Amino acid sequence: MFNLAEELKRPMADAGWTIKVLIGAAFSLAFFWHPHMVLKLIFFPLTFFSMGYLYRIFVNHFQRIEEGKLTEWKDWKEIFLKGLVIFLIGFGYCLIPGFSFMVSDSILMGGFLAKIVGLIFMAATAFLFVVALFLLPMGIAQYTRDEKFSSAFAIRESWDKIMNIGDDYFKITLIAIAVIILLYVIGFISYLGPILNALIGFYAGLVLASLFGQVCREAYEVQEAVYSELEIK
């Protein structure tokens, strides 16, 4: 069982947390700040630095490395490349929900009956996005453990590990969904919206990376304990 109040304060336990958070938020802001889609696409690769840094936090807790402090902003090439990998894994998980969204959006352009069908598709799309978000952290854990990109998409293995720890994983996923909704609402605030999104989003990312790293590690530990008992028998 995790203590959310303690986890929210965890990043601030690091002496240099302010600068580290501001750097990560600045890279995130490169995407949030520009309303024009073309500019978003041009600057989007800068967010790989933020993703790579959050992945380092995840790995530190998944592997019990320097859990008491935030990692340093160094080895920029590695941070960028790991961020790119995490983006590709996330993109892979969002392919089916994204396709469903495009289909439902096009159906909604039709008449009354088409709109009803479109709303059903939209509900299914929302469900698929939640499922993708639910499975993604354990997929990243499998990629980390096996050091194989394909391991991130071993859905059955991810599900089995999640079932080993149950409640905590579900609760953390609900927190992640709440954060996404909050950021979506904040995005409507003129001028300050992108800045708040970048700051709150990156800080929340640090907390969630820590939480998911811990709970995924516990899932592996439970599974290994079960296998050990079976071997003894």
Side-chain angles (χ1 to χ4, degrees), residues 92-200:
Y93 271 89
C94 288
L95 276 177
I96 294 176
F99 177 75
S100 177
F101 174 78
M102 288 189 292
V103 171
S104 58
D105 192 48
S106 62
I107 293 175
L108 284 171
M109 299 295 183
F112 177 74
L113 184 60
K115 282 182 169 57
I116 294 176
V117 175
L119 289 173
I120 295 173
F121 261 89
M122 197 64 78
T125 299
F127 174 76
L128 289 171
F129 270 116
V130 170
V131 171
L133 179 65
F134 179 72
L135 294 171
L136 178 59
M138 191 60 75
I140 293 173
Q142 293 190 149
Y143 158 74
T144 304
R145 187 65 173 264
D146 299 341
E147 297 184 343
K148 290 171 57 180
F149 186 78
S150 59
S151 293
F153 302 98
I155 305 300
R156 177 61 184 273
E157 287 79 357
S158 289
W159 179 259
D160 289 343
K161 292 182 180 70
I162 291 170
M163 290 301 100
N164 287 335
I165 31 111
D167 285 355
D168 279 354
Y169 194 97
F170 283 98
K171 290 174 183 176
I172 299 168
T173 302
L174 288 176
I175 293 170
I177 293 172
V179 169
I180 292 171
I181 294 172
L182 174 63
L183 295 178
Y184 177 77
V185 173
I186 290 174
F188 288 101
I189 302 174
S190 300
Y191 303 109
L192 281 178
I195 297 173
L196 292 173
N197 259 340
L199 288 169
I200 297 173

Side-chain angles (χ1 to χ4, degrees), residues 73-93:
W73 279 98
K74 60 182 182 180
D75 302 325
W76 295 88
K77 180 180 178 181
E78 182 188 354
I79 289 177
F80 181 87
L81 292 176
K82 287 298 183 182
L84 173 59
V85 171
I86 296 306
F87 165 73
L88 292 174
I89 292 173
F91 181 78
Y93 271 89

Side-chain angles (χ1 to χ4, degrees), residues 8 33 36 130 206 229:
L8 287 171
W33 185 256
H36 197 283
V130 170
L206 292 173
E229 288 182 9

